[in-house]
Every structure is written in structure tokens, then in C-alpha cells.
Amino acid sequence: VAGRPGVLGALSTTFLWITGNITLYACIAPFLSAHAGIAGGMLSATLVAFGVGAAIGNWGGGRASDRLGPFPALKLSLTGTLATQAALSTLAVTMAPGSAAVAIAIILMMILGAFGWAGHPAQSTRLVGLAPDVAVVALSLNASALYFGIAAGAALGSFVATYGSLW
């Protein structure tokens, strides 16, 4: 199945996309603590906001894929994810920790959850279109790419948090 035209590219997109998202997510607690002053119960609330955003994004991403098609929905999701990660980086270098930084960080985390998880329904639609006769296998491979990306992102995030810089 992975040898079919476009399938390996789609699986690679899933892997790289989730690796990037989870790399940041693996470092998010020390990042938010250092740059927005978010810790303890407020960190929990921030992660809940991310999860709510992810659920909304998954629902909205499915609707966008149905209405716009998988490629426009994927472009929107990936572009939104990149822009939100850039906004979080901008927050880190321009604002001191405090109540304004906390509010902005929570909003950005909710938006990041939404955009970061909005593309998965479109990616599933894309894979079914690339291999309709073996859609179950293509979707299973996509789930594997997702889980390998989660593992790779967690490892990379852990490495960055341990040996690198969180800005």
C-alpha cells in the first residue's frame, strides 16, 4: 500500500507533522513556566484548554475537509499550526511572565490544539482517496505514522528540554 503513488508522501506528512507538534508539547510545561509564569493548577487549565481546542479542531477539520476538500483543509491546519507556534515563540521573546502573558498563552494553546489536530480528518480522507480499495490498511498505516511521530516528537522534545534551550 505504501508503494502506491502519494501514499508514502501522505504517511510522511503525518509523521513529520505530529513529530513537530509533540516536540513542542513535550517541552510545554517548562516553556510555559519560564515564559508566561504558568505552573501548577494554571498549567492543568492550560492543558485542558489545549485539549478542548484539539476536540474542536478535529470536528472543524472534518467539516472543512468535507466542504473544501482534503488539501485546502490540510493547508489551513498546517499553516495555522505554524503561525500559532510562531506566535508562542514571539510571546516567549517579547513578554515578561505575568497575567497578560498567561491569558495570551492559554488562548494560543487552545488555538494550537485546534489547528494541530484539525488536519487529521482531512489526512484520512486523502489516504482513502489514494488507496480506496485498501482504505483500512492505508488508515492503519496512517495511525502507525501518527504513533511513531508521537514517540519521535516526545524523544526529540525530551532531548531539547534536557540538552537544548527553551528560549
Side-chain angles (χ1 to χ4, degrees), residues 17 21 76-86 111-112 114-117:
W17 172 10
N21 282 340
L76 179 64
S77 178
L78 291 170
T79 302
T81 299
L82 179 63
T84 309
Q85 289 178 343
I111 294 168
L112 180 63
F115 279 122
W117 289 96

Side-chain angles (χ1 to χ4, degrees), residues 6-164:
V7 172
L8 189 57
L11 296 173
S12 297
T13 300
T14 297
F15 173 78
L16 293 172
W17 172 10
I18 198 68
T19 298
N21 282 340
I22 298 300
T23 298
L24 173 63
Y25 194 76
C27 302
I28 206 64
F31 176 85
L32 290 173
S33 177
H35 299 293
I38 296 175
M42 190 55 68
L43 177 62
S44 296
T46 304
L47 296 177
V48 167
F50 177 89
V52 169
I56 291 168
N58 200 279
W59 172 80
R63 293 194 44 94
S65 181
D66 289 346
R67 291 184 179 191
L68 306 173
F71 283 108
L74 285 167
K75 287 179 189 176
L76 179 64
S77 178
L78 291 170
T79 302
T81 299
L82 179 63
T84 309
Q85 289 178 343
L88 278 167
S89 295
T90 301
L91 170 75
V93 297
T94 60
M95 292 189 77
S99 57
V102 168
I104 293 169
I106 291 171
I107 291 166
L108 288 174
M109 286 297 294
M110 189 170 197
I111 294 168
L112 180 63
F115 279 122
W117 289 96
H120 293 288
Q123 186 71 323
S124 296
T125 300
R126 179 180 174 203
L127 281 162
V128 169
L130 291 170
D133 57 321
V134 287
V136 172
V137 176
L139 293 173
S140 296
L141 290 172
N142 192 54
S144 295
L146 179 86
Y147 296 133
F148 281 123
I150 289 170
L156 185 57
S158 175
F159 182 83
V160 169
T162 303
Y163 300 106

